[in-house]
Each structure stands twice: as structure tokens, then as C-alpha cells.
Amino acid sequence: HSSLLGNKTLLRASSSQSSGSSSTSSPLKTLAPIAQKSDSDSFYQIEEIVKKSRFIGIAVPATSWDDAKIILEQVRKDHPKSRHVAFGFISSSTAAAPSADDENNSDSQNNEDTVVGTERASDDGEPTGTAGQPILNAIKSEELSDTLCMVVRYSGGIKLGAGGLIRAYGSAARGVLRSAPTVIHIPTVRLRLVINTQYSGSVYALAARFDGVTSGETYNDRGELEVVITCDEERGDSLREEIVDATRGSAVFL
């Protein structure tokens, strides 16, 4: 289920944690999915003019590098006369090491697996560190993941210098990222347990107290209740302990 927080949506997303696992995931902030009505609605987009150069900031949710490459190709097709299409990409999932033919592998791109996932960036022909890294920094400063941010540049014929390029690319990236709605994914855990029916009232009350959602209620051949409780992952261990106490240690977690 979800709730709105201004321009942000709070979404509880199921995780793979088992009932006996400790909480290891953190909330994940991403761009909100785009409700596409036409090709022009495929991306979040803004435009800025700096000394006659057009900098078009484009952002889109992307969970994998394969998805991001497809989007990059489409944006380049949409802007065939642009001078550069620099980008930054951050994913929450790790990926294999880049192959030799990966996007601008020999450029200023950052192709690496990290503890938070995969990060990639490209200057696309701009001086090293003046385009891709400022875009990547903008994604990080907004604390976003699973995000591809591109800045398309149409040159106006006036040199901006390294400092000017860094400011222009960073500004366009921040502008589009801040204009887009976001989603905060709260990891959840599923507790599957079997209890004597005399404790069902107490267990359901605990589930409600921890904002848990119950499902899958069945009875086994001994008349015991089997139920699944889904709650925020960070509260899973506490709920489990409370259930153990409430059932005097008789609850069986599956």
C-alpha cells in the first residue's frame, strides 16, 4: 500500500527476507513510474539555456544497465543534431563487469559495482569530468537510485570552459531530477507462522499494532491457524519477539 508525501509517494514493497532474517535493506528512493500517454511523455524533461547552448535535462526510472542503454539509444535518435548526450546512471542492483564494447568504456565513465549497486557515467566527448560526473553527483545529491539522467547539449558556439560545463550539466540534471515525482520504497518482511487458535486474537492485535497486513489464513489438521503477516522490515524482528511472548513460545515460524 502507499501514501502521498507532497511530491513523494511512500510505497511498501515486498522483500525476500524470511521470517527469521534480520533487517538488512534500507528504504529506496526512485523516480516515480511515468504514466505514458505519448512518445513525448516517455521522460521527465526540462531545458536550460546557458550562453546560447541548450542543455536538455532528461530523467527516467531504469533498474538495469540493459534498460538504460535502450533508453540512451532512443534519446540519441530523438536528438540526432545534438552535440553531446552525457549521462549518469545509478542502480540498486549489482551487475557484471562491463564488456569491452560497453557504452564509452574507455571514456571518463565510471563502470563499477559498489555496495549500493551499479554506477555509470559518460562525458560523451566533453572534457573529462565535466559532464557525466556532475550528472552522477546530482543523482546522488537527490539520494536517488534506479535512475538514468541524461543531459543533451546543443552547442551555441560559445565556449563555456570546464567550470561552466560542470555547472551547466549539473544544473540541468538537478533541475529535471527535482521536478520529477519520486517514490520511496519501504522494504517489508513476511512472517509465516502457525499458532494455536486461542492466541489468534492477540496475534492479530499485534499485527495491527505494527501496521502489519495479514493474509493466507488456513487451518491445519490439528485445528491450528497458519497466517502470514507482512510488515515493515525494520519492525519484523520486534513483531516476531512480541508474538513469541504473546503465544508463550508456542508460535512456530515457517
Side-chain angles (χ1 to χ4, degrees), residues 79-100:
H79 297 273
K81 296 182 180 180
S82 64
R83 191 74 177 271
H84 307 279
V85 181
F87 72 86
F89 169 68
I90 295 181
S91 171
S92 59
S93 60
T94 57
S99 60

Side-chain angles (χ1 to χ4, degrees), residues 94-106:
T94 57
S99 60
D101 62 350
D102 238 349
E103 175 74 25
N104 290 337
N105 198 39
S106 61

Side-chain angles (χ1 to χ4, degrees), residues 16-101:
S16 60
Q17 292 293 323
S18 66
S19 61
S21 300
S22 59
S23 299
T24 56
S25 302
S26 300
L28 190 69
K29 182 181 175 185
T30 68
L31 296 177
I34 300 171
Q36 185 176 345
K37 298 177 183 177
S38 65
D39 290 342
S40 62
D41 297 324
S42 300
F43 315 112
Y44 297 112
Q45 183 171 310
I46 61 110
E47 182 173 333
E48 297 181 351
I49 305 294
V50 180
K51 293 185 178 179
K52 297 185 178 181
S53 281
R54 293 173 60 202
F55 290 87
I56 304 171
I58 300 172
V60 64
T63 57
S64 72
W65 174 233
D66 286 341
D67 290 342
K69 286 191 289 186
I70 293 171
I71 298 167
L72 272 167
E73 182 180 351
Q74 182 59 52
V75 169
R76 284 177 174 148
K77 286 180 180 178
D78 291 344
H79 297 273
K81 296 182 180 180
S82 64
R83 191 74 177 271
H84 307 279
V85 181
F87 72 86
F89 169 68
I90 295 181
S91 171
S92 59
S93 60
T94 57
S99 60
D101 62 350

Side-chain angles (χ1 to χ4, degrees), residues 232-252:
D232 290 358
E233 189 182 83
E234 64 179 9
R235 306 184 74 186
D237 288 343
S238 296
L239 175 56
R240 190 178 193 278
E241 292 173 2
E242 294 263 8
I243 291 173
V244 170
D245 290 342
T247 61
R248 299 183 180 181
S250 63
V252 177

Side-chain angles (χ1 to χ4, degrees), residues 75-154:
V75 169
R76 284 177 174 148
K77 286 180 180 178
D78 291 344
H79 297 273
K81 296 182 180 180
S82 64
R83 191 74 177 271
H84 307 279
V85 181
F87 72 86
F89 169 68
I90 295 181
S91 171
S92 59
S93 60
T94 57
S99 60
D101 62 350
D102 238 349
E103 175 74 25
N104 290 337
N105 198 39
S106 61
D107 192 20
S108 63
Q109 181 183 3
N110 176 6
N111 284 326
E112 59 183 15
D113 293 338
T114 71
V115 292
V116 295
T118 303
E119 299 179 4
R120 297 173 187 267
S122 172
D123 295 314
D124 194 33
E126 294 281 30
T128 300
T130 62
Q133 192 60 47
I135 298 171
L136 195 65
N137 290 344
I139 299 173
K140 291 181 178 180
S141 69
E142 297 302 312
E143 300 179 333
L144 286 161
S145 189
D146 295 348
T147 298
L148 171 65
C149 183
M150 300 154 282
V151 177
V152 179
R153 181 190 178 193
Y154 287 87

